[in-house]
Amino acid sequence: MASRLNPYISFAGDAKQAMEFYKEVFGGDLAVHTYGDFGSEAPPGYADKIMHGMLETTRGFTLMGADNPPGTEHKPGNNIAVSLSGDDADELRGYWDKLSGGGTVSVPLEKQMWGDVFGMCTDKFGITWMVNVSEQQS
């Protein structure tokens, strides 16, 4: 397997819902494992919480996520941003529409001073996304 760079996102108990949402946005195969799946006794209240989730898409995207482990503090959204970039404007705009739906747009998806179309939003789970549509070179 080649090395890959992908975000790993911690959630405050709603990792399953978040990972299913991202599967709806990007498609692909989602594998989730709960604390209870690993054979040892799960911490109280954690049997159904996600210990590890991974979404792999046909476009080559990989997104991992889990519920915060017991006893750790959750710091939502401000410690991670996920970047989507490329030159397929229709595809990237489709992701933008789904990710920003129900969330908050901080930078509208529009042409920027560097020539690309860029936008930034926070989705309904508190995750910040940056979408950059590159100017196609002719």
Side-chain angles (χ1 to χ4, degrees):
M1 174 206 274
S3 297
R4 69 174 126 198
L5 175 67
N6 60 276
Y8 200 114
I9 305 170
S10 295
F11 297 94
D14 58 355
K16 185 174 191 318
Q17 296 90 336
M19 295 301 288
E20 289 172 348
F21 169 69
Y22 299 136
K23 182 179 186 224
E24 289 176 23
V25 172
F26 300 112
D29 296 315
L30 174 62
V32 293
H33 303 283
T34 65
Y35 281 85
D37 289 338
F38 286 93
S40 62
E41 187 172 317
Y46 274 77
D48 294 326
K49 298 294 181 194
I50 303 303
M51 185 176 202
H52 178 71
M54 184 165 77
L55 175 64
E56 293 184 291
T57 74
T58 58
R59 303 292 285 174
F61 302 157
T62 300
L63 181 65
M64 295 180 187
D67 288 308
N68 260 29
T72 60
E73 183 182 355
H74 182 252
K75 297 178 183 177
N78 67 357
N79 63 336
I80 186 170
V82 184
S83 175
L84 288 170
S85 59
D87 59 12
D88 188 329
D90 291 338
E91 179 180 70
L92 290 165
R93 285 181 188 279
Y95 295 147
W96 170 263
D97 291 342
K98 292 174 184 176
L99 290 165
S100 62
T104 304
V105 173
S106 53
V107 177
L109 186 65
E110 59 190 20
K111 189 145 184 139
Q112 301 296 323
M113 64 181 164
W114 60 88
D116 293 349
V117 172
F118 174 84
M120 188 162 49
C121 67
T122 302
D123 71 21
K124 63 185 176 183
F125 293 101
I127 303 303
T128 301
W129 293 84
M130 299 179 292
V131 176
N132 191 89
V133 182
S134 300
E135 273 297 302
Q136 292 189 4
Q137 304 296 320
S138 42

